[in-house]
């Protein structure tokens, strides 16, 4: 009698629990329960796009749901960032944030978004060395020779960027300030246009993300003069750092991270963070990323939050001191 009464009570409790679970939203029962949209606020073919597709494939397999990359380019990354910030905070729409995310709030008035207010940090994907490349027609085989030529021919050299306030432009600003040289700035509306004109000799030089220019460097179509990182890049071990070439502490580190709209549940953020870190720590993927010139940087959402705050503050100072304005 006691056993049958216990079983009846257990059955009732189980049914009640199941009914309560069924009443919960799908997202509360399991995450993810549908495909995830990964917004890349830049055109296809660049480093953010390449990296997003590689990482997205691995994360999708880990989570059991496809990760769909959507390119929403424009306004230096602001269009994609703003649209993501306004998306439902459910973990199914994410932003691949890059260097420009930390620059835009200081570059534009009014600020297009606030990283701390409008987004939840999910995970830092990694960093890439910034490499100074020149067209083979430029009479300089090293950074010292480039600086000497620029001093002897003020304003003759020009440098491309993929837009005002981007990493290439700010690197050029630092180079002009540190080396006391005159080099004209030629802003483009995307990295794809820069690549074509640089290879064609229409522009002389460019601070590029190493993965994007690596193939051209290896083919001899572009000459790499220096990498703006603390140590030499494994993908181009013969290329000196700026410090080795005579400009100490010249560091430009393009980076890529994943953000979610503010208010995204902590459970979804943690699930995404774990899946991304797992992908970054996969040996096969790590080797592939290293071949592309990317340094994986797994970590916590809290670590990404601190990193974003530091980057935003540092580049705000550069933008203010050099009176840089968007065009």
């Amino acid at each position: 009698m006691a056993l049958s009464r216990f079983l009846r009570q257990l059955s009732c409790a189980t049914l009640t629990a199941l009914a309560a679970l069924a009443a919960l939203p799908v997202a509360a029962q399991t995450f993810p329960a549908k495909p995830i949209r990964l917004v890349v606020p830049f055109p296809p073919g660049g480093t953010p796009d390449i990296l997003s597709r590689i990482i997205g494939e691995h994360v999708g397999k880990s989570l059991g749901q496809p990760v769909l990359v959507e390119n929403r380019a424009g306004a230096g990354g602001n269009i994609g960032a703003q649209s993501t910030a306004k998306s439902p905070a459910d973990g199914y729409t994410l932003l691949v944030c890059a260097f420009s995310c930390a620059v835009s709030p200081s570059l534009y008035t009014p600020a297009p978004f606030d990283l701390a207010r409008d987004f939840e940090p999910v995970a830092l994907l990694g960093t890439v060395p910034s490499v100074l490349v020149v067209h083979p027609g430029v009479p300089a085989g090293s950074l010292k020779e480039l600086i000497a030529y620029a001093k002897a021919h003020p304003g003759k050299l020009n440098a491309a960027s993929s837009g005002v306030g981007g990493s290439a432009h700010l690197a050029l600003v630092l180079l002009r300030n540190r080396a006391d040289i005159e080099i004209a700035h030629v802003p483009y509306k995307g990295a794809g246009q820069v690549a074509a004109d640089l290879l064609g000799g229409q522009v002389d030089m460019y601070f590029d993300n190493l993965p994007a220019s690596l193939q051209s460097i290896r083919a001899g179509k572009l000459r790499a003069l220096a990498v703006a990182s603390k140590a030499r890049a494994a993908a181009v071990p013969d290329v000196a750092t700026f410090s080795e070439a005579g400009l100490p502490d010249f560091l430009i580190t393009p980076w890529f991270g994943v953000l979610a709209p503010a208010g995204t549940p902590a459970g979804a953020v943690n699930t995404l963070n774990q899946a991304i870190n797992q992908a970054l720590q996969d040996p096969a993927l790590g080797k592939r990323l290293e071949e592309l010139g990317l340094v994986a940087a797994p970590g916590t959402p809290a670590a990404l939050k601190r990193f974003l705050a530091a980057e935003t503050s540092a580049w705000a100072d550069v933008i203010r001191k050099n009176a840089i304005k968007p065009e």
Side-chain angles (χ1 to χ4, degrees):
M1 290 290 292
L3 177 60
S4 62
R5 188 163 53 250
F6 170 76
L7 291 175
R8 284 197 301 273
Q9 291 173 345
L10 180 62
S11 298
C12 290
T14 301
L15 289 172
T16 300
L18 289 173
L21 181 62
L24 289 172
V26 173
Q29 297 176 31
T30 179
F31 177 87
K34 61 181 182 179
I36 294 171
R37 188 165 61 104
L38 191 57
V39 177
V40 178
F42 304 101
T47 304
D49 181 65
I50 295 170
L51 176 60
S52 298
R53 294 180 189 280
I54 293 174
I55 298 294
E57 180 181 356
H58 282 253
V59 170
K61 290 178 181 178
S62 174
L63 295 178
Q65 291 289 345
V67 175
L68 308 176
V69 174
E70 178 182 325
N71 297 92
R72 296 206 66 182
N78 291 339
I79 290 177
Q82 289 174 313
S83 70
T84 304
K86 296 175 182 177
S87 297
D90 54 12
Y92 290 101
T93 301
L94 307 173
L95 174 71
V96 175
C97 188
F99 182 91
S100 62
C101 285
V103 172
S104 288
S106 301
L107 186 64
Y108 294 91
T109 303
F113 53 82
D114 184 307
L115 281 178
R117 181 195 65 210
D118 298 332
F119 294 98
E120 298 286 348
V122 176
L124 183 63
L125 298 177
T127 62
V128 296
S130 180
V131 59
L132 175 58
V133 292
V134 298
H135 183 269
V138 173
S142 67
L143 180 63
K144 288 183 178 180
E145 291 179 1
L146 179 77
I147 292 173
Y149 182 84
K151 286 182 179 293
H153 305 84
K156 185 172 182 178
L157 291 175
N158 58 54
S161 82
S162 56
V164 173
S167 60
H169 178 212
L170 295 180
L172 173 62
V173 170
L174 292 184
L175 177 61
R176 291 190 302 204
N177 291 346
R178 292 285 304 278
D180 191 23
I181 54 179
E182 294 181 28
I183 297 176
H185 175 220
V186 184
Y188 285 74
K189 294 184 178 180
Q193 293 177 328
V194 172
D197 279 6
L198 183 63
L199 290 171
Q202 281 76 38
V203 288
D204 299 316
M205 53 188 281
Y206 181 44
F207 280 90
D208 200 5
N209 296 339
L210 181 57
S213 62
L214 187 56
Q215 190 173 12
S216 294
I217 293 170
R218 288 174 172 170
K221 296 179 180 179
L222 293 175
R223 183 184 303 134
L225 299 188
V227 290
S229 50
K230 291 182 178 180
R232 294 193 180 198
V236 285
D238 294 335
V239 179
T241 65
F242 272 81
S243 181
E244 292 172 327
L247 289 181
D249 301 320
F250 189 99
L251 302 173
I252 299 289
T253 307
W255 52 267
F256 307 96
V258 176
L259 307 179
T264 298
V269 169
N270 290 332
T271 296
L272 291 164
N273 175 270
Q274 292 170 9
I276 291 170
N277 285 340
Q278 182 181 353
L280 293 174
Q281 292 166 341
D282 178 81
L285 178 60
K287 183 178 180 180
R288 186 177 178 189
L289 294 179
E290 183 177 322
E291 290 172 349
L292 289 171
L294 185 130
V295 180
T300 64
L304 176 56
K305 183 176 182 178
R306 292 191 296 270
F307 176 81
L308 292 175
E311 281 285 285
T312 302
S313 176
W315 291 111
D317 188 52
V318 173
I319 290 169
R320 184 178 62 255
K321 287 182 177 179
N322 290 277
I324 298 173
K325 302 292 182 182
E327 293 182 353

